[in-house]
Amino acid sequence: MEIDRVPFLNRLRRTMSSAEAWGFSVVGYLMWFTLAPSMQAEIGSASLLVWIPGAIVGILFNLQVQSLGKKYPDVSGGTPNYITRLLHRYPALSRYLGIAYYLGWVSFPPINAIVITNLIQFHLEPMGLSIPEKVFEIGFTAIAYFLAFSGTRAVAILHLFFIFPSIGFLLLFCVQGLGWLAFSPQSPGLLPSSIDALSVQDWLKWYLFAAYSFYGCDTASSFVADSLHPKDTLKALSWVAWFMPLVFVGGSLVLVQLATAAGLQGNLYGNFLVAAKPFWGDAAPVIVTLLVATTCLLGSATSVCNTPRILFQLAQDGLLSPVFGAASRRGALEPALLLSFICSLGFLVWGNTTRIVVVSGVSLFISIMGLHLGLWMQRNDPVVRWGRLSLALLVVEFISLVVGGVAWGRMDFGIGLLLPLAVIALDAAILRIPWESLHLPWWDRLHTKPVTPPKNEYFVVLQVAILIALICGTATISWLIRSWLRVEGGTNNPYLLIIVLMTLAFVGVAIACWTSLPQVAAIEELAISSTAQAKELETTLNELKKAQMQVIQSEKMSSLGQLVAGIAHEINNPVNFIHGNLTYLDEYTQNLLEMIELLYKY
C-alpha cells in the first residue's frame, strides 16, 4: 500500500550547470579502476571475457536510461526512480527495488575509504609509520557526507576541479598503454597469447562482481531534476557509454599484459603502478597515486549526492516516509543524508571490501533486474528501446544472481536479498515513532525561509577555486619546508602530498561551505537584491514621471474642453434663436410678398 502523499514545502531547484552534472557521470569508470585488479588477480586474462560483454550491456543500459530520462526530466534519483514508474502497478515491489539500488550505491563510500586508507598505509610503511586504520576509514567515509550536508552545488563544483584531470589520466592510461602494447619493441603483444579457462559458474560469479562498473555509468540521470539544462545533462550518458570499451576492455588488456609481477594479488596501487611503469616511467607513482586518491574521494562524493536523491524521490512518490522529502535552504537532503551515513558506517563496520561489494552488489543487481522486468512489461511504450532484449538480459541476470551470488557465499547472498527489507522495516518504524524530528513538519519549520538561488553561479565557482588554491598552496609550501628540514634521511615520501592535497581540498571546501561561503553567497544575494531594488525604484520613478506628464496633459485637455464648451454654448443660444424663428420669418415673408403682389394688381 502506498503512503499517503503530502505536499512538500521544499523541492529540488534547478541550480546545477551541465558541466557540474557531467562530472557525476563518469563514476562507473572509477568503479572499474577499483574492481579490475581483483579480477585480474583471480582469473587473469579471463577477465576480458567478463569485461567485453559487460561493456556491450553497459552501452545498451546507458542509452536506455537516457531515453527514460527524456521522458521523466523532473524525476530525481535516476534509474531506481524510473523503475518505480515502469512498475507503478506494483508499489511494494518498486519500493523494494528502489531501496536495493540505493543500498548498492550507499556502500561505495566505505569501499573507497578502505582503499584510500590502504594506500596511505602503503606509502607510510617505508617510513616505519602506521595509522589507526579504522579511524581513517571512518574519517574518509565521513568527509564526503560532511561536504554534502552543505549542499550538492559545492560537491559538484569540487568535482570539476578533480574529476576531469583524474579521468583524463585514466583515459591516458588506457590509450597510451594500448599504444605501447601495439607498437613498442619491448611489448609482450597487444593481445594475450591465450585466454585463461573460465567455467560458466565463475563467469556468472565475476559478472555479478563487475556489474558495479557497467551498470554504474548512469549517474548523471540522478541529477536531471537539478540541472539547468536537462537535455545537455542526459547527453553525458551517451558519451560515457561509447567510451566504455576503451576503459573496460582496453584498460583490462593493459593490466592483463603488463601487471604480471609476482605478489601483486589484488593490490590496486601495485597493479596499476606495475602496468604503467613501462610507458609512464618515473612519473607512474605520482600519476597512479593521483588516480587512486581521486577515484576514492570523488567516487564517495558522487555516492553521497546520488543516494539521498533516491530516497527523496521515493518520498515524493509516496513510497517512503515523507520526512525523506525534506531539503535544507542550501539544497541538502538532510534526513536522507543521515540515513545514508548510518548505512555507510554499517557497511564499514560489518565487513571487508570483498564482502561489502558482494552484499551491496547483490542488492544493486536485483534492482537492475527490476529495471529490465519493467522495460519488458512496458515494451510497447516508445520510450523503451530494447523491450524484448530486456527479457533476455533479465534471464541472464537472474541466473548470474543465483549462481554467482551463491558462489560468493550463501550468507552474503542472503544478506544482500534481505537488506532492502530491513531498510523498509526501518522506514515503517519511522512512520510510527512519535519523535517530532522523524516527521516532515519538524524539518519544514527549519526550512521555512524562502530560498533564492544565486543569480551569478560563477561567483560561487570563483570562491571555491580560490579556497582550493589557498588550501593546496599552503599544504605544498608546508610539505616543501618539511622536506627541506628533513630530520632523517630516506623518510621523505612525496606521493603522500597528493593524498594530503585531495583530503585538505575536501575538508577545506566543506568547512567553507558551512562557514564563510554561505555568508559570501548571502552578501552576493543582498547586493543582487539591492541592485534589483534600485532598478525597480528607477523604473517606478520613470513611470511616475510619465504618469505626471499624463495628468498635466489631461488637465490641459480638460481646461481646453471647458473653454470650447463655453464658446459653443454662447454660439449655440443665438443660433437656436435664429433657427427657432426661421419658420415664422418665412411665413411673414410670404405674407408680405402676397400683399405686395395684391397692391401691384390693384
Side-chain angles (χ1 to χ4, degrees), residues 242-423:
W242 297 119
F243 276 95
M244 284 184 191
L246 173 63
V247 177
F248 297 163
V249 181
S252 298
L253 267 175
V254 176
L255 284 179
V256 166
Q257 293 295 82
L258 297 179
T260 56
L264 290 177
Q265 298 180 351
N267 183 278
L268 186 149
Y269 178 80
N271 273 270
F272 279 95
L273 179 62
V274 171
K277 272 207 168 183
F279 50 89
W280 278 347
D282 294 337
V286 175
I287 299 177
V288 173
T289 302
L290 173 65
L291 281 174
V292 176
T294 54
T295 294
C296 295
L297 291 174
L298 296 178
S300 297
T302 299
S303 176
V304 301
C305 291
N306 179 25
T307 50
R309 277 159 175 71
I310 298 173
L311 299 182
F312 175 84
Q313 191 63 51
L314 289 173
Q316 293 281 343
D317 294 339
L319 296 175
L320 277 185
S321 300
V323 67
F324 296 114
S328 73
R329 291 188 293 269
R330 289 176 288 185
L333 310 178
E334 293 167 338
L337 275 170
L338 285 171
L339 179 60
S340 299
F341 184 48
I342 293 171
C343 291
S344 291
L345 289 180
F347 274 116
L348 184 63
V349 173
W350 173 72
N352 56 28
T353 304
T354 302
R355 296 196 69 188
I356 294 173
V357 170
V358 172
V359 171
S360 59
V362 168
S363 295
L364 178 69
F365 214 71
I366 293 172
S367 66
I368 301 302
M369 289 172 56
L371 174 67
H372 287 135
L373 173 64
L375 291 172
W376 181 73
M377 294 177 65
Q378 304 292 336
R379 57 189 178 276
N380 295 324
D381 190 328
V383 77
V384 178
R385 305 185 66 168
W386 299 286
R388 300 187 187 280
L389 178 61
S390 297
L391 180 61
L393 292 174
L394 175 61
V395 172
V396 174
E397 288 163 352
F398 176 77
I399 298 172
S400 180
L401 176 68
V402 175
V403 177
V406 171
W408 280 110
R410 295 179 182 271
M411 180 178 178
D412 292 341
F413 176 65
I415 292 174
L417 292 176
L418 297 176
L419 208 53
L421 296 178
V423 176

Side-chain angles (χ1 to χ4, degrees), residues 462-541:
L462 178 62
Q463 293 299 316
V464 174
I466 293 174
L467 181 63
I468 292 176
L470 290 173
I471 294 172
C472 295
T474 303
T476 303
I477 293 171
S478 301
W479 192 274
L480 293 175
I481 293 174
R482 174 217 176 262
S483 300
W484 180 54
L485 297 174
R486 289 168 58 186
V487 179
E488 298 179 9
T491 60
N492 184 35
N493 190 335
Y495 309 124
L496 280 174
L497 174 61
I498 296 172
I499 305 172
V500 172
L501 291 180
M502 291 289 298
T503 305
L504 284 176
F506 265 74
V507 174
V509 172
I511 293 172
C513 288
W514 280 95
T515 55
S516 60
L517 286 183
Q519 283 75 26
V520 172
I523 293 173
E524 179 204 13
E525 290 181 19
L526 179 61
I528 293 173
S529 177
S530 300
T531 303
Q533 290 179 359
K535 290 182 178 179
E536 185 177 349
L537 288 173
E538 183 180 358
T539 302
T540 304
L541 181 60

Side-chain angles (χ1 to χ4, degrees), residues 52-136:
I52 292 174
I56 297 173
V57 171
I59 292 172
L60 299 177
F61 178 77
N62 256 39
L63 297 179
Q64 178 59 74
V65 172
Q66 183 185 52
S67 180
L68 292 171
K70 292 178 181 178
K71 183 176 181 179
Y72 305 114
D74 296 321
V75 173
S76 179
T79 301
N81 301 108
Y82 300 155
I83 295 174
T84 62
R85 280 153 177 75
L86 293 171
L87 299 174
H88 60 89
R89 296 181 181 178
Y90 311 97
L93 175 62
S94 61
R95 181 192 294 116
Y96 173 84
L97 295 172
I99 294 298
Y101 187 97
Y102 163 82
L103 289 171
W105 271 97
V106 83
S107 66
F108 206 39
I111 292 172
N112 290 322
I114 294 173
V115 172
I116 197 169
T117 300
N118 291 338
L119 177 65
I120 294 173
Q121 185 62 56
F122 178 86
H123 284 303
L124 287 176
E125 283 180 0
M127 303 166 63
L129 302 175
S130 62
I131 57 174
E133 293 187 3
K134 193 57 68 175
V135 174
F136 271 65

Side-chain angles (χ1 to χ4, degrees), residues 196-215:
D196 296 328
L198 187 68
S199 66
V200 174
Q201 180 180 2
D202 285 340
W203 186 89
L204 294 171
K205 172 183 175 181
W206 288 103
Y207 184 85
L208 175 65
F209 184 84
Y212 254 121
S213 299
F214 40 83
Y215 288 137

Side-chain angles (χ1 to χ4, degrees), residues 29 31-41 43-55 170 173-175 177-178 181 189-192 195 210 213-214 243-260 271-272 275:
Y29 296 166
M31 290 179 177
W32 170 86
F33 186 81
T34 303
L35 300 178
S38 298
M39 292 182 62
Q40 160 70 8
I43 58 177
S45 60
S47 62
L48 295 171
L49 300 178
V50 178
W51 289 116
I52 292 174
L170 180 59
F173 171 84
C174 299
V175 173
L178 291 173
L181 288 174
L190 179 61
L191 300 175
I195 300 294
S213 299
F214 40 83
F243 276 95
M244 284 184 191
L246 173 63
V247 177
F248 297 163
V249 181
S252 298
L253 267 175
V254 176
L255 284 179
V256 166
Q257 293 295 82
L258 297 179
T260 56
N271 273 270
F272 279 95

